[in-house]
Amino acid sequence: MNTDAIHIASYLMLAATLCNAGALLWLQLHAYSKHHHKSFLILTLSTITALLSFFAVTIPAFLPAVRPWYTFIYLSSAVLYILYAALGIWGVSLLFRSYGALKQGA
């Protein structure tokens, strides 16, 4: 097993995840500032919650001193992930509903 390749791939995945989240967050914040629609605010909160979940679960990899707290950190990350998913579904639902109402009025 080539652990160097696995480490490189994991760091690339970490970078891609952060780039993706950053781009989504910027788009959501920009849309909210322009349109002031509740769906964009909820989607922004969802993305922020996803980032918090992601950072929480990666803390032990970068700070070995917190490894005794790994179970608590992992469970906290799972709760944040569930919250992120719920907010994301709610935000997209509001956005689709708004778009549907817009199309009905057109």
Side-chain angles (χ1 to χ4, degrees):
M1 177 185 292
N2 186 349
T3 58
D4 288 339
I6 292 171
H7 283 111
I8 291 169
S10 67
Y11 285 123
L12 287 173
M13 289 172 60
L14 173 67
T17 298
L18 292 176
C19 287
N20 180 58
L24 285 175
L25 189 58
W26 183 86
L27 289 168
Q28 292 159 349
L29 284 169
H30 181 67
Y32 181 70
S33 70
K34 186 174 180 178
H35 304 293
H36 300 285
H37 194 269
K38 185 178 180 179
S39 64
F40 295 121
L41 178 61
I42 293 169
L43 288 169
T44 298
L45 294 173
S46 173
T47 301
I48 291 169
T49 306
L51 284 168
L52 290 173
S53 171
F54 178 76
F55 287 130
V57 82
T58 59
I59 287 172
F62 296 104
L63 296 172
V66 300
R67 287 196 180 138
W69 291 88
Y70 186 71
T71 301
F72 174 76
I73 291 169
Y74 192 83
L75 291 175
S76 298
S77 178
V79 169
L80 287 169
Y81 190 87
I82 291 166
L83 180 59
Y84 140 71
L87 287 170
I89 291 168
W90 183 24
V92 169
S93 174
L94 286 175
L95 188 59
F96 285 178
R97 190 175 307 146
S98 175
Y99 181 75
L102 182 66
K103 288 296 282 181
Q104 291 293 331

